[in-house]
Amino acid sequence: MKAQPIASHFIDGEYVEDTDGTVIESLYPATGEVIARLHAATPAIVERAIAAAKRAQPAWAAMSPTARGRILKRAADIMRERNRELSELETLDTGKPIQETIVADPTSGADSFEFFGGIAAAGLNGSYIPLGQDFAYTKRVPLGVCVGIGAWNYPQQIACWKGAPALICGNAMVFKPSENTPLGALKIAEILIEAGLPKGLYNVIQGDRTTGPLLVNHPDVAKVSLTGSVPTGRKVAAAAAGSLKHVTMELGGKSPLIVFDDADIDSAIGGAMLGNFYSTGQVCSNGTRVFVARGIKETFLSRLKARTENMVIGDPMDEATQIGPMVSFDQRQKVMSYIDKGKAEGATLVTGGGIPNHVTGEGYYVQPTVFADVTDEMTIAREEIFGPVMCVLDFDDEAEVIARANGTEFGLSGGVFTSDLTRAHRVADQLEAGTLWINTYNLCPVEIPFGGSKQSGFGRENSLAALEHYSELKTVYVGMGKVEAPY
Ligand code: NAD
């Protein structure tokens, strides 16, 4: 299987190569096979991409929002027409099952282009402020050159979720995908050109943690939006602060999912499985601490175990497969070391906990794993694992579980399953997180704001809220009379 792109980078409307950059090997996680060889951006490539973005941005900002929106909507249509091809590429890039990528990856990127393309005409309006005979008005102006830096779990979605609001506000973007998943963003750049985006407005350059700082520290960059881990977020935010750049931080989590004894138990199990095993557990908002009311614990665990053991692990290109490999060998090692810690610290292994032996070859597979009797102090309950490892914790009452759920530095998401309407809202109100779900989990349509609180980050993606993070208000005060000066 090969997925070699025409070249490593996409700058100023065309593919660009610079073989002086460090080699990035793209491995298919299901087999370990090298499917593409690319090069990290050299400083010259970084300069070229930022210069192209800077050159292209003013004319784009001068177009009407409707005209900009028309191009994004065309890009959405092209993505939908090519959904199969893009989904297969996403599966090669990440190892995620085609069953998922075909419904959740390019399609959610297309949703983003469609949404922001569609709201452009009204969403970017300013306001009129009456001041007696004088008045003022505000207008929403773009920031300039925006940098997007992506994680490896949703490469195409992340490339679109950052690109769409940036572009609709009149900015240009330089996007750097994760070194683990370099392929998808190049296709997004290609499609945008095909949709009519003027060249230079959406550039993709490859690179790793040494390339990112070249972008973040660049004086011509106005904004950085990162999707990544908390430690990377701290570094990027600190570097961006050096020149007071705007920042959006979409970081990690250790989110609570609380199941009360009056919940629809099968829905709660389904929500917990989706919120721990989808994308082989590599989802930032996953509800990895599942607090289950003690009274329903045994029923919950026995049904959960049966359903988990029924999951289909295997070839991600097979439409029946529900669990694919981890993105990389290193990620699998990290997940396995957490599983070892869970066992060593006394959690009860309900199911999984190993490498599936019926999957042959060099793929980075891990069994979907459930631990019960997990306590708040255990490492697996405190640290983000980013793999298919669910921790089930017991609780007795509402006040106790809210305090324990909030006892973490993270604040990305959370969920509650209960049939008590007032309790559902009371609990959601008290959980410290950017996004909460009641009687469902992990649904993130483009219409709703998404982002973290506490150490999980700041800023919001999607929805009208994203516009505020890719533009700023300019206020114009208009004096209508003579200036009365006291001197
Ligand atoms: P990571 O932090 O290792 O890397 C993220 C990106 O940052 C990569 O492109 C990497 O090359 C780049 N990078 C690393 N160091 C940098 C630096 N000093 N300066 C600039 N760029 C740098 O994260 P990952 O392992 O790719 O992704 C997994 C993490 O992402 C998890 O913690 C997960 O929770 C988080 N995530 C968050 C969201 C969200 O929306 N909140 C979504 C997906 C993933």
Side-chain angles (χ1 to χ4, degrees):
M1 240 174 293
K2 288 281 174 252
Q4 185 67 39
I6 294 167
S8 301
H9 319 291
F10 194 95
I11 300 173
D12 214 7
E14 57 190 39
Y15 276 100
V16 173
E17 194 57 87
D18 180 349
T19 52
D20 285 347
T22 321
V23 171
I24 295 177
E25 283 192 331
S26 167
L27 307 179
Y28 180 39
T31 59
E33 183 192 346
V34 178
I35 53 169
R37 268 195 186 82
L38 300 94
H39 294 92
T42 56
I45 287 287
V46 172
E47 285 302 327
R48 197 164 153 183
I50 292 175
K54 192 178 172 189
R55 221 170 22 245
Q57 190 264 332
W60 174 245
M63 281 168 64
S64 76
T66 305
R68 291 200 296 263
R70 201 175 299 133
I71 293 171
L72 296 201
K73 284 191 279 181
R74 218 176 284 142
D77 291 342
I78 300 173
M79 286 186 74
R80 291 219 172 83
E81 282 158 23
R82 308 230 182 110
N83 187 37
R84 158 102 7 216
E85 173 202 331
L86 290 169
S87 301
E88 284 175 2
L89 183 67
E90 188 78 342
T91 289
L92 288 173
D93 227 0
T94 60
K96 296 194 295 178
I98 190 83
Q99 186 189 92
E100 289 185 14
T101 54
I102 204 101
V103 294
D105 290 88
T107 49
S108 81
D111 285 353
S112 176
F113 283 132
E114 186 175 1
F115 177 84
F116 286 106
I119 52 104
L124 296 169
N125 289 350
S127 60
Y128 170 87
I129 304 160
L131 299 165
Q133 75 166 353
D134 291 352
F135 66 93
Y137 61 89
T138 62
K139 55 189 293 193
R140 202 156 266 294
V141 295
L143 304 174
V145 176
C146 300
V147 158
I149 300 178
W152 40 255
N153 56 343
Y154 281 81
Q156 291 182 32
Q157 180 188 86
I158 294 171
C160 297
W161 281 18
K162 298 192 189 305
L167 289 171
I168 207 60
C169 288
N171 302 289
M173 171 151 278
V174 177
F175 184 79
K176 188 198 83 61
S178 162
E179 56 275 33
N180 283 316
T181 52
L183 305 175
L186 291 168
K187 281 286 165 203
I188 307 299
E190 241 185 72
I191 286 171
L192 280 164
I193 289 290
E194 196 179 326
L197 186 74
K199 61 184 194 171
L201 290 166
Y202 189 88
N203 309 280
V204 174
I205 64 162
Q206 306 298 340
D208 58 13
R209 60 193 59 247
T210 60
T211 319
L214 301 178
L215 293 167
V216 178
N217 292 319
H218 200 287
D220 289 339
V221 170
K223 187 211 161 94
V224 179
S225 175
L226 169 79
T227 297
S229 61
V230 172
T232 302
R234 290 199 181 105
K235 284 186 209 143
V236 171
S243 49
L244 292 179
K245 290 180 170 64
H246 296 251
V247 281
T248 294
M249 291 285 147
E250 291 288 353
L251 308 178
K254 191 76 199 176
S255 301
L257 196 171
I258 304 173
V259 184
F260 285 96
D261 53 9
D262 60 357
D264 172 337
I265 199 158
D266 291 316
S267 285
I269 292 167
M273 290 177 74
L274 284 166
N276 277 274
F277 301 146
Y278 204 72
S279 297
T280 316
Q282 303 163 115
V283 180
C284 52
S285 50
N286 272 354
T288 46
R289 290 181 297 143
V290 181
F291 291 92
V292 177
R294 207 176 297 276
I296 56 166
K297 173 183 171 184
E298 292 314 321
T299 317
F300 185 94
L301 285 176
S302 67
R303 291 194 207 169
L304 170 65
K305 176 174 156 64
R307 283 172 68 173
T308 302
E309 288 172 358
N310 247 342
M311 293 183 83
V312 181
I313 310 176
D315 174 5
M317 286 295 178
D318 181 341
E319 303 224 348
T321 294
Q322 297 168 324
I323 288 269
M326 309 296 314
V327 75
S328 65
F329 178 80
D330 287 352
Q331 189 61 19
R332 178 171 69 185
Q333 294 301 95
K334 184 178 155 199
V335 172
M336 290 310 296
S337 82
Y338 275 113
I339 290 173
D340 291 344
K341 279 188 193 132
K343 292 175 186 163
E345 292 178 19
T348 306
L349 184 65
V350 176
T351 186
I355 292 172
N357 52 20
H358 68 279
V359 182
T360 52
E362 299 297 313
Y364 316 128
Y365 288 87
V366 176
Q367 285 175 323
T369 298
V370 177
F371 279 111
D373 306 312
V374 177
T375 60
D376 298 342
E377 300 71 35
M378 289 181 185
T379 310
I380 55 170
R382 287 186 290 105
E383 297 181 12
E384 185 183 46
I385 300 174
F386 223 57
V389 182
M390 187 194 304
C391 296
V392 177
L393 304 91
D394 315 328
F395 75 92
D396 293 303
D397 75 69
E398 186 180 312
E400 168 219 327
V401 76
I402 290 169
R404 289 171 59 202
N406 287 337
T408 168
E409 60 167 358
F410 299 108
L412 190 55
S413 331
V416 49
F417 277 84
T418 175
S419 55
D420 179 337
L421 184 69
T422 51
R423 175 157 65 188
H425 293 287
R426 194 168 58 233
V427 172
D429 198 44
Q430 291 177 80
L431 290 178
E432 297 163 353
T435 308
L436 290 156
W437 289 278
I438 294 176
N439 291 336
T440 188
Y441 203 81
N442 256 357
L443 298 177
C444 278
V446 66
E447 293 89 344
I448 67 170
F450 181 75
S453 60
K454 295 162 82 175
Q455 296 295 296
S456 293
F458 36 80
R460 290 294 177 266
E461 295 199 304
N462 292 339
S463 78
L464 292 175
L467 300 175
E468 289 164 29
H469 300 286
Y470 284 98
S471 61
E472 58 192 5
L473 286 181
K474 174 180 275 188
T475 307
V476 180
Y477 186 110
V478 182
M480 296 296 286
K482 287 184 86 59
V483 173
E484 301 287 345
Y487 38 79

